[in-house]
Amino acid sequence: MCIRELPVTLEGAEHNKYASNMLQVINVQSQSSVYEKALEPLRETAKILDLHESIVKVLSEPEKTLIVSLPIRMDDGQIEVFTGYRVRHNTARGPAKGGIRYHPNVCLDEVKALAYWMTLKNGVVGLAYGGGKGGITCDPKKMSKAELERLTRSYASAIARFIGPNLDVPASDVGTDSQMMGWFMDEYIKIVGQSLPSIITAKPLSIGGSKGRETATGRGTFFVTVEAAKAFSMPLKGASVSIQGYGKVARPVAQYLYDVGCKIVAVSDSTGGAYNAKGMHPLKLVEHKKSTGSVKGFPGSIEIGVVDPITVDCDVLIPAALENQITEKNAHEVKSKLLIEEANGPTTPEADKILRKKGVIVIPDILANAGGVTVSYFEWVQNRMGYYWTEEEVDEKLKTVMVKAFTDTYETCKEHEVDMRTGAYTLSISRLVDAMKALGRI
Ligand code: GLU
């Protein structure tokens, strides 16, 4: 966990202004490990599935972890040293799959948690994948395009022997985009001397990306929200929606929900937020953010704080930023009936208990945001067969996968009389345990 890493990371933070938020972040994270929190729901699932303690132990540790040092020449001629990670949590169901995060918070503890959640996520939607994750501790907002290219190429060559199309397949995540996937692929191709687009997903269309990948996470969240609204008898037409985060995964879901008659009453980004009980137009919010750099100050709105969307009056709450945003401190103030986790790990286990008591229906991250990795899987499949689907075909296939994942989770909940998070964990872990038993690993 971060506490053990502290000396290394602090050293990096002191010397590296491009990762300057790190000190503050470490202070928060060293109090409690993201990974330890991430493992908590596993205990409940282990009881339901009557798993032996040794199996819980196996699932609690990643298969392999790689830490790399990335010295980069910055535009001012100085060399800065960044730290990069790649964690393979589990490969029993197939190659490890999961994105690469560029953010000042990135540390081994966080990447381990994110890799573990990828194993569970891929299991819920039934993809032939295990789980992995990577990241670099850096602040991409403070770096030039040329610096980001050098950093990405350096990371790709540093982890090239650790990954592979049949072993571990990265993609984008917070702070990374399709251009970076292109640089990464180019570097990998140079090393292996072969055209292998299936080494990475969420690439630009021109080099083997899939139609529909850019909006896939939001599209998947939308399909799951529609299913949840039906299952829990909450009409979406006229429902008020509050979204924490207004980045690449939140913007599409805001648009799809708006299109079916929802009112987007609150949004925020890393600099502030906007609230209007009458609703705001998702596209106009995007334009406002493009021209001013933030959603705050949107015409007709009241200015709110970065985390305020969590506690405003609304029917549907969508945390779409980072982990541990809904805690025991603000969970009591959540007013929504339905909470759709589009971010990875936005709710702490303590907050989850409070929400359950309050009767808030939580659709967990490993189900709600699985649309991104599902279309990544489609991209990988298309790369391997060298034949590409239309946007309509991708959308139809995504809908089928997401609706089935929701139904499977809902059925598991009913069978064991548990909430949706426990249901999703139970479903995914039972699939994983079956695979590990079939391989003779447990
Ligand atoms: N970063 C996304 C996630 O957390 C997508 C991962 C992928 O496409 O491999 O699910």
Side-chain angles (χ1 to χ4, degrees):
M1 50 190 273
C2 271
I3 296 168
R4 264 189 275 129
E5 280 183 86
L6 209 53
V8 179
T9 325
L10 278 176
E11 208 173 285
E14 273 163 8
H15 291 115
N16 187 341
K17 65 179 180 215
Y18 303 94
S20 58
N21 289 343
M22 277 197 291
L23 284 172
Q24 192 195 335
V25 166
I26 285 161
N27 286 339
V28 174
Q29 294 204 342
S30 59
Q31 288 159 12
S32 66
S33 152
V34 181
Y35 190 53
E36 277 169 14
K37 278 191 193 298
L39 289 178
E40 273 193 34
L42 179 58
R43 289 188 200 114
E44 209 165 328
T45 308
K47 266 191 234 150
I48 293 170
L49 294 173
D50 198 19
L51 296 183
H52 192 269
E53 188 57 28
S54 59
I55 298 181
V56 175
K57 263 193 204 162
V58 174
L59 298 179
S60 301
E61 279 305 320
E63 283 175 13
K64 266 193 185 172
T65 298
L66 178 68
I67 303 179
V68 292
S69 168
L70 307 167
I72 306 298
R73 191 170 297 282
M74 307 308 283
D75 291 345
D76 63 5
Q78 298 296 311
I79 303 246
E80 293 289 357
V81 183
F82 294 85
T83 308
Y85 307 88
R86 186 76 194 169
V87 172
R88 265 202 322 260
H89 174 261
N90 194 290
T91 53
R93 287 175 48 83
K97 183 81 188 84
I100 303 164
R101 180 172 292 199
Y102 287 6
H103 194 276
N105 285 22
V106 168
C107 63
L108 181 59
D109 180 67
E110 188 194 54
V111 181
K112 275 168 72 177
L114 291 163
Y116 165 73
W117 284 324
M118 285 310 302
T119 302
L120 297 177
K121 191 185 302 185
N122 296 333
V124 172
V125 277
L127 305 178
Y129 277 150
K133 199 88 177 193
I136 303 177
T137 318
C138 67
D139 190 346
K141 289 183 185 151
K142 291 189 182 150
M143 296 170 71
S144 71
K145 195 172 173 193
E147 288 168 342
L148 286 169
E149 177 169 357
R150 289 195 286 275
L151 183 63
T152 304
R153 288 186 182 278
S154 166
Y155 177 65
S157 78
I159 70 163
R161 302 278 167 222
F162 191 78
I163 57 166
N166 292 317
L167 179 62
D168 183 350
V169 185
S172 58
D173 193 70
V174 173
T176 48
D177 59 20
S178 60
Q179 172 64 81
M180 294 169 190
M181 303 302 106
W183 295 328
F184 188 107
M185 175 172 143
D186 188 49
E187 206 58 33
Y188 187 81
I189 284 173
K190 281 185 204 156
I191 292 167
V192 296
Q194 282 180 50
S195 171
L196 273 177
S198 53
I199 182 56
I200 194 158
T201 62
K203 304 178 289 286
L205 282 178
S206 56
I207 52 170
S210 175
K211 297 244 168 72
R213 178 61 186 84
E214 248 176 44
T215 49
T217 306
R219 193 79 180 137
T221 304
F222 169 70
F223 290 138
V224 166
T225 308
V226 170
E227 292 310 301
K230 274 193 245 162
F232 298 103
S233 313
M234 292 178 190
L236 282 181
K237 201 166 164 47
S240 53
V241 177
S242 173
I243 306 178
Q244 191 216 7
Y246 205 59
K248 63 184 175 195
V249 298
R251 288 191 294 256
V253 79
Q255 186 64 52
Y256 300 132
L257 288 172
Y258 178 86
D259 291 344
V260 295
C262 291
K263 266 191 306 181
I264 311 300
V265 295
V267 293
S268 70
D269 55 33
S270 58
T271 60
Y275 173 81
N276 186 339
K278 290 189 192 134
M280 295 174 285
H281 195 287
L283 215 60
K284 288 189 181 143
L285 275 164
V286 173
E287 281 159 14
H288 180 78
K289 189 173 159 70
K290 244 188 211 155
S291 61
T292 66
S294 171
V295 292
K296 69 180 180 199
F298 182 70
S301 73
I302 300 167
E303 195 171 323
I304 56 171
V306 177
V307 284
D308 289 344
I310 288 169
T311 50
V312 303
D313 236 324
C314 64
D315 299 314
V316 183
L317 168 61
I318 307 184
L322 295 172
E323 56 272 7
N324 293 350
Q325 299 299 302
I326 306 171
T327 65
E328 73 264 42
K329 291 200 181 99
N330 59 8
H332 292 286
E333 295 172 60
V334 168
K335 296 173 190 74
S336 69
K337 302 177 199 90
L338 192 59
L339 193 161
I340 312 278
E341 295 186 334
E342 196 177 26
N344 288 312
T347 312
T348 66
E350 299 81 20
D352 205 36
K353 282 184 200 125
I354 297 168
L355 295 173
R356 270 192 232 179
K357 268 201 198 133
K358 278 169 66 89
V360 178
I361 293 158
V362 178
I363 308 300
D365 49 1
I366 58 169
L367 169 63
N369 72 25
V373 72
T374 300
V375 178
S376 270
Y377 173 72
F378 296 158
E379 181 175 330
W380 182 76
V381 168
Q382 291 171 85
N383 292 154
R384 289 159 74 95
M385 56 181 185
Y387 177 76
Y388 290 82
W389 298 324
T390 63
E391 184 137 15
E392 291 70 31
E393 284 173 303
V394 170
D395 199 53
E396 197 49 47
K397 289 181 201 314
L398 174 62
K399 187 174 178 184
T400 305
V401 169
M402 298 309 294
V403 171
K404 183 172 185 319
F406 182 89
T407 310
D408 289 349
T409 305
Y410 192 57
E411 292 302 319
T412 311
C413 289
K414 284 203 278 191
E415 186 188 336
H416 297 286
E417 292 176 0
V418 292
D419 61 290
M420 286 294 280
R421 188 186 311 280
T422 312
Y425 270 67
T426 305
L427 173 67
S428 182
I429 288 172
S430 68
R431 287 174 174 168
L432 179 60
V433 167
D434 282 352
M436 292 177 79
K437 280 190 180 152
L439 289 165
R441 290 189 190 172
I442 51 175

